[in-house]
Amino acid sequence: MEARSALPPRVVAEKSVRVLKRLMALEEYGNASTIMTYLNFRNEVQTGELVKKAMAEGKKVTVPLTDMAGRRLTPSSLSHFPDDLQPGTWGILEPKPHCVRPVDPGELDLIIVPGVAFDEEGNRLGYGGGFYDRFLPRTRPGAVYVALAFEMQLRESVEHDDQDIKVHCLLTEERMIRVKKC
């Protein structure tokens, strides 16, 4: 995470554009009517343009609302980006209280998953709370999990256990890694 944190804003923006082009070229993105995406924080792949483009295309875009006490994520539909948002848990943008519009996880077609590090087997190292590992099993069968990352976040192997949920596809500024057929 230190190397990613050291990236200059211009480099993060340039690499993010390349990653998002790969995402938007995916058949799974084109077919998705309802998506959930993280909102970038700490030099993650920037997702603001994804939100704008998906909304302009008529897709329902949801973002995670963090329930710290229940240790759960709830997808909340966006109507106005970024006006619906304010800093929430850990300073990450989340829906303002009056803008929370919960969406059943079973409605999600595509989930954009954040992480610190990834391997080519689809394993991911998150931020330590297990929120996505508890959330993803609540989505519908056939929902596609995509990780957006910079090449520097790839590792030969990421430690994992039986509770860790793998992503189906990993996209970086350099390549697409399909872990399993979606």
Side-chain angles (χ1 to χ4, degrees), residues 123-140:
N123 297 304
R124 59 179 279 279
L125 174 64
Y127 293 94
F131 286 90
Y132 278 84
D133 292 320
R134 282 189 297 280
F135 173 75
L136 294 174
R138 296 173 38 219
T139 63
R140 70 173 180 76

Side-chain angles (χ1 to χ4, degrees), residues 150-167:
F150 301 124
E151 278 289 321
M152 68 175 49
Q153 293 176 259
L154 295 184
R155 303 290 179 262
E156 188 171 314
S157 178
V158 171
E159 191 173 318
H160 60 282
D161 60 35
D162 293 340
Q163 287 82 16
D164 293 334
I165 306 297
K166 293 183 177 197
V167 296

Side-chain angles (χ1 to χ4, degrees), residues 39 63 78 80-87 93-96 99:
L39 295 167
V63 296
L78 290 177
H80 302 94
F81 178 79
D83 299 337
D84 285 354
L85 305 170
Q86 68 182 16
L93 291 176
E94 292 188 348
K96 296 174 181 173
C99 295

Side-chain angles (χ1 to χ4, degrees), residues 16 89 102 112 115 170:
S16 293
T89 306
I112 309 302
L170 174 61

